[in-house]
Amino acid sequence: MAMNDSSDPFHDPMASDGAPRALSARHLERLNETQRRAVETTDGPVLVLAGAGTGKTRVLTTRLGHILLSGKAHPQEILAVTFTNKAAREMKERVADLVGRPVEGWWIGTFHALAARVLRRHADLVGLKSNFTILDTDDQNRLIKELLPAQGIDSQRWPPKVVGGVLQRWKDRALGPEKVTGAEGSDIAEGRVVALYRAYQERLKQLNAADFGDLLLHCVTIFQAAPDVLARYQERFRYILVDEYQDTNVAQYLWLRLLAQKHKNICCVGDDDQSIYSWRGAEVGNILRFEKDFPGAVIIRLERNYRSTPHILAAASGLIAHNQGRLGKTLWTDLDGGEKVRVRGVWDSPQEARAIGDEMETLHRRGDPLSSMAVLVRTGAQTRELEECLITMGIAYRVVGGLRFYERQEIRDVVAYLRVIAQPDDDLAFMRIVNLPKRGLGEASLRDVHLYARAQGISLYRAAGRLVETDELRPAARRALGALIAHFEAWRGRSAEIKLAELLDQVLNGSGYLQMWREDKALDAPGRVENLKELTVGIEPFETLEMFLEHVALVMENETASEDDKVTLMTLHGAKGLEFDTVFMPGWEEGLFPHQRALDETGTRGLEEERRLAYVGLTRARQRAVILFAANRRIFGQWKSALPSRFLEELPGEHVERIVETGLYGNAGINAGSGGPGVPVAFPARLRAAPRTGQEASRRRTQGADDDAPFGVGVRVFHQKFGYGRVRAVDGDKLEIAFDKAGVKKVMTSFIRPADAL
């Protein structure tokens, strides 16, 4: 480990003429007082609590450059850990620009990249060779699939990706097979998952392979079992810097703590108020116990925000102050003016989407680019209504961090079922779902169907229908295929007699597709179930199955790829690290946000993480933050009353403008209109006495402000999908309307509002 200082330009205390080199302070000039303290406090453990928009990246890169320029360490004596490869590249570039030359030989990268670098040098200590292969998730699932039968585990009930997720969570906690207790695995895969874990790790060794979870797990194992190896790395790394420390899992935490014990010059930068990834292993406790782990640690709070207006910051700070598990800080800014955070209550989710679209149009006409606006939702299912509204209004949008609603796997699957009902000869749709969920149809049986269809010149569906009446197929396959064909015939027969939402409900349940996702243990399965529920809502306005399928096809084609100026739709989880001039946050209702699943599964911890998620959403806004909640939402086609989120009550009144429709919650004592500071919105404790039912809300939407006002011939109306039009004929609750752009359509009154009520 000997080093030659004279060979390192950053560690040479003498200039070329032999005179002592003066340390330039130019790299410190752009820092505020607190940032400069975070940069110059180089020795000993330091925790930098960097609030949103406080210049965290500048502090990190300047600190690295400062250590180099001050001659405190060689580049190879610095360990800098980031969470993404992109962040590592940006840090390298910024530090090189700061010091005026490329920096070579230092250790900078993601946890996985740095751990792999260590592991390749000492692979033999965990039974691997230095040229081991790193398996991706697909390879990992295939290997697990091979091992399931030997352990007597049913792969239908416990798919490889689910089992792989369990193993990964144990590895995130630095638990090898020998450390997992029987109790932890007793309710997974009939209690056989620990045995499978052992077999999986042995098989990896035989293949000279490691998965991503092994990279940290093996390093921690080596450091704990080989003190001499650990001592070499402890001696090497004089300075350790860690970004996004609040997002570290247990294995990452142990790895860092072991490496820092020699010099204790560890600087962790993070924000406990933005720890929102517990579902993927992040442990907020790592940052909360930093002072306990490193006695004498210096805590530096970056609280001056350079992004948002004073009202936005005060609202966010007031909200997050309700969390108990935090170290505490208050964001502030010297910016002047700005709008108050707006909280708007509306009747229902379609009106919520329309309100967002209307304000986007207003801002865009005023000169604000669409790209400066974002809609941040709690769940992916919320984007369906928003997407269709924006399409109707002609507002370009992009879905970031996920697929557009109708592009999602589960939606495509169910739409394929509906396509076969509408058009039995649709071979592509039939093949997509013929064995989904699994029906025991093997490749041989499906090949027979293909061969027969080709020989007879008929569709696969019709070929299947004929084959189930013969003995060509195995009995089990014949029964399964016959049951599916019978379902399709029944659905097709009812499709003209029942509402589309009811038909879809029969397909979801009769096919077993919904139950498949309900029983799936994958982390994304609950979200897929929510998307399927939302599809039931989305299909409701259409009179025929053909109209709905045509709508889906048109939506899928509605991609204005040539336009760069688009509104951003994304989840709150995906928005961390981004910023926009205007942020809309719909769906602030109990059960949706905070999400009921988080409350049910983790109680107070879940509630506090949901509140941190709200804080992240608010602090994405530079100039304008608009929060919306609806009194009614459709769940599985049924209108249900919704209570405003408890988070609304926690927003400080002096920084919030509340706009709530008159009588939104009956006689619950809610003040309406733009009341300004201190005017209360309806909150859960006041609402339980008089929630409006979904039926009442539907009637209000149908009739406008006057409960007794009917839709008559000649009345000017608005429809969420078809826009503005005039009533031509009335038949009970059905209207014939001549729409301005969509032509003459027959629609239900429940989806119409008077134009003068908008």
Side-chain angles (χ1 to χ4, degrees):
M1 302 291 289
M3 303 178 193
N4 182 0
D5 288 355
S6 63
S7 65
D8 183 4
F10 297 112
H11 209 268
D12 186 357
M14 305 296 289
S16 57
D17 59 0
R21 187 179 66 181
L23 179 63
S24 170
R26 283 180 299 173
H27 62 286
L28 303 174
E29 292 173 355
R30 295 192 303 159
L31 305 176
N32 64 40
E33 183 178 345
T34 311
Q35 289 173 334
R36 181 161 181 162
R37 182 175 169 228
V39 167
E40 294 185 306
T41 308
T42 54
D43 295 333
V46 178
L47 176 62
V48 179
L49 289 175
T54 57
K56 175 198 70 172
T57 303
R58 176 178 294 181
V59 167
L60 268 172
T61 54
T62 307
R63 182 182 172 90
L64 279 168
H66 182 74
I67 291 171
L68 293 171
L69 290 171
S70 60
K72 288 181 173 290
H74 293 276
Q76 61 265 32
E77 294 177 307
I78 299 174
L79 178 70
V81 189
T82 65
F83 262 81
T84 66
N85 291 315
K86 179 182 178 183
R89 287 194 302 270
E90 289 180 354
M91 191 176 292
K92 288 179 181 179
E93 293 169 359
R94 291 194 185 196
V95 174
D97 183 63
L98 190 69
V99 301
R101 71 192 74 178
V103 182
E104 304 293 343
W106 63 350
W107 289 59
I108 181 169
T110 65
F111 277 101
H112 288 124
L114 294 170
R117 188 172 170 181
V118 172
L119 185 56
R120 290 205 183 275
R121 298 186 177 189
H122 310 284
D124 59 304
L125 296 178
V126 287
L128 297 174
K129 299 175 183 176
S130 61
N131 63 342
F132 62 83
T133 300
I134 300 176
L135 302 185
D136 59 21
T137 303
D138 186 57
D139 292 331
Q140 178 185 10
N141 289 338
R142 280 205 298 270
L143 179 54
I144 291 174
K145 185 176 182 179
E146 292 177 11
L147 297 172
L148 288 174
Q151 300 300 326
I153 298 174
D154 182 2
S155 62
Q156 300 294 317
R157 186 176 177 191
W158 295 96
K161 68 175 182 178
V162 174
V163 176
V166 172
L167 304 189
Q168 181 60 52
R169 286 192 288 276
W170 283 335
K171 292 183 180 186
D172 287 344
R173 293 164 54 199
L175 297 176
E178 71 286 352
K179 293 183 180 179
V180 178
T181 64
E184 284 195 85
S186 61
D187 59 343
I188 303 167
E190 293 82 37
R192 302 185 182 97
V193 69
V194 177
L196 180 126
Y197 189 10
R198 285 194 293 269
Y200 174 70
Q201 292 301 100
E202 285 300 318
R203 183 65 177 139
L204 285 174
K205 288 182 181 179
Q206 293 169 9
L207 295 171
N208 190 35
D211 62 28
F212 279 98
D214 284 325
L215 300 178
L216 268 297
L217 175 63
H218 284 330
C219 278
V220 171
T221 300
I222 290 169
F223 288 164
Q224 291 175 335
D228 57 324
V229 174
L230 173 61
R232 289 167 56 192
Y233 286 98
Q234 288 176 335
E235 182 66 33
R236 168 185 282 272
F237 298 131
R238 298 177 62 83
Y239 291 92
I240 299 174
L241 289 87
V242 188
D243 191 13
E244 304 287 7
Y245 189 59
Q246 79 282 345
D247 292 335
T248 53
N249 59 39
V250 174
Q252 292 163 343
Y253 158 79
L254 291 173
W255 188 71
L256 290 168
R257 188 179 175 191
L258 287 165
L259 288 171
Q261 291 307 306
K262 169 71 175 179
H263 300 290
K264 293 187 170 57
N265 295 330
I266 181 171
C267 175
C268 293
V269 181
D271 184 359
D272 53 325
D273 291 333
Q274 295 188 69
S275 180
I276 58 174
Y277 298 124
S278 66
W279 48 276
R280 66 185 191 197
E283 176 52 66
V284 68
N286 294 345
I287 194 170
L288 296 179
R289 62 169 172 264
F290 187 85
E291 288 181 278
K292 181 179 179 181
D293 290 336
F294 298 98
V298 176
I299 309 296
I300 299 174
R301 290 172 169 81
L302 302 184
E303 298 174 307
R304 181 180 177 182
N305 179 279
Y306 292 90
R307 174 190 299 161
S308 306
T309 63
H311 285 306
I312 291 172
L313 295 180
S317 294
L319 174 66
I320 200 64
H322 288 79
N323 270 8
Q324 298 299 313
R326 64 190 295 258
L327 296 171
K329 64 183 175 307
T330 302
L331 299 181
W332 63 275
T333 182
D334 56 7
L335 298 176
D336 296 325
E339 300 178 15
K340 291 184 178 182
V341 172
R342 228 175 320 135
V343 175
R344 181 171 180 179
V346 297
W347 284 119
D348 54 28
S349 49
Q351 186 181 351
E352 178 186 67
R354 183 74 193 193
I356 292 172
D358 286 344
E359 182 157 358
M360 286 177 174
E361 280 192 332
T362 300
L363 292 170
H364 193 46
R365 283 196 300 268
R366 198 182 68 181
D368 290 15
L370 293 176
S371 58
S372 70
M373 309 174 206
V375 184
L376 308 182
V377 296
R378 175 60 182 85
T379 71
Q382 289 173 260
T383 68
R384 198 275 310 167
E385 212 146 30
L386 289 161
E387 288 184 59
E388 296 198 353
C389 179
L390 296 180
I391 289 170
T392 301
M393 299 179 72
I395 298 175
Y397 71 92
R398 63 168 63 87
V399 178
V400 175
L403 299 171
R404 292 183 297 165
F405 184 80
Y406 289 105
E407 292 174 336
R408 295 165 188 169
Q409 174 193 334
E410 62 278 11
I411 303 303
R412 282 181 175 271
D413 290 343
V414 175
V415 168
Y417 271 100
L418 299 177
R419 283 167 54 188
V420 175
I421 294 173
Q423 175 50 269
D425 295 332
D426 188 336
D427 283 355
L428 291 176
F430 183 72
M431 282 309 300
R432 183 180 182 100
I433 51 79
V434 66
N435 205 28
L436 189 68
K438 298 289 186 182
R439 298 185 171 90
L441 297 172
E443 292 183 9
S445 298
L446 295 178
R447 184 172 59 250
D448 289 342
V449 174
H450 273 275
L451 291 173
Y452 184 78
R454 194 175 307 160
Q456 298 296 316
I458 58 177
S459 68
L460 295 174
Y461 178 88
R462 299 188 192 283
R466 293 183 188 180
L467 285 175
V468 297
E469 298 174 354
T470 72
D471 295 321
E472 299 288 342
L473 302 176
R474 292 183 298 104
R478 190 165 65 247
R479 285 192 298 271
L481 204 52
L484 179 62
I485 295 297
H487 273 308
F488 272 116
E489 293 298 318
W491 294 329
R492 191 173 298 113
R494 300 183 199 125
S495 61
E497 303 170 358
I498 61 177
K499 293 182 178 180
L500 288 185
E502 185 179 347
L503 174 65
L504 177 57
D505 182 64
Q506 291 183 10
V507 171
L508 287 172
N509 289 287
S511 66
Y513 188 82
L514 179 62
Q515 190 63 24
M516 177 189 77
W517 284 117
R518 281 178 169 163
E519 294 177 353
D520 197 307
K521 304 300 190 296
L523 289 175
D524 61 352
R528 295 184 189 275
V529 173
E530 289 179 356
N531 289 340
L532 293 172
K533 291 179 181 179
E534 183 60 29
L535 182 63
T536 306
V537 175
I539 203 173
E540 198 175 55
F542 297 90
E543 294 184 20
T544 68
L545 182 55
E546 289 73 17
M547 289 175 62
F548 172 71
L549 293 174
E550 180 179 329
H551 169 74
V552 172
L554 293 174
V555 168
M556 295 293 283
E557 288 298 315
N558 189 77
E559 178 60 27
T560 51
S562 60
E563 296 183 41
D564 291 327
D565 190 24
K566 298 180 182 180
V567 169
T568 296
L569 303 186
M570 66 192 313
T571 65
L572 285 158
H573 282 100
K576 188 168 172 289
L578 304 178
E579 56 186 75
F580 305 89
D581 288 345
T582 302
V583 168
F584 299 93
M585 289 172 282
W588 281 45
E589 298 135 31
E590 286 294 304
L592 181 54
F593 193 41
H595 201 284
Q596 193 61 46
R597 188 168 66 249
L599 304 183
D600 292 343
E601 292 178 357
T602 51
T604 301
R605 285 183 59 197
L607 174 61
E608 295 209 342
E609 180 155 330
E610 291 288 292
R611 191 177 284 114
R612 292 196 292 269
L613 200 53
Y615 172 85
V616 166
L618 278 169
T619 54
R620 299 312 95 196
R622 287 190 286 252
Q623 301 173 10
R624 191 175 298 103
V626 183
I627 298 170
L628 301 99
F629 66 93
N632 301 275
R633 283 193 188 273
R634 281 174 290 181
I635 308 293
F636 253 145
Q638 299 295 316
W639 283 103
K640 298 200 175 181
S641 298
L643 300 180
S645 169
R646 69 192 73 188
F647 297 154
L648 297 176
E649 193 172 20
E650 296 171 355
L651 296 170
E654 63 271 24
H655 300 290
V656 177
E657 176 187 7
R658 309 186 192 276
I659 307 169
V660 183
E661 291 191 13
T662 304
L664 189 61
Y665 289 93
N667 298 314
I670 300 137
N671 292 305
S674 180
V679 176
V681 161
F683 292 113
R686 305 190 201 119
L687 293 178
R688 295 191 180 98
R692 184 178 295 278
T693 66
Q695 184 179 9
E696 289 172 325
S698 178
R699 184 165 60 88
R700 294 280 303 195
R701 283 189 306 280
T702 300
Q703 299 173 350
D706 182 356
D707 284 354
D708 299 320
F711 285 114
V713 174
V715 173
R716 184 77 170 160
V717 296
F718 175 81
H719 184 279
Q720 182 71 30
K721 178 174 182 288
F722 302 123
Y724 289 94
R726 197 171 297 278
V727 178
R728 293 197 348 174
V730 180
D731 180 14
D733 60 352
K734 297 178 182 176
L735 304 176
E736 183 178 287
I737 300 173
F739 289 101
D740 297 350
K741 296 182 179 179
V744 178
K745 304 284 185 184
K746 289 184 179 180
V747 298
M748 305 294 290
T749 57
S750 57
F751 300 101
I752 294 296
R753 283 179 284 165
D756 58 6
L758 299 177

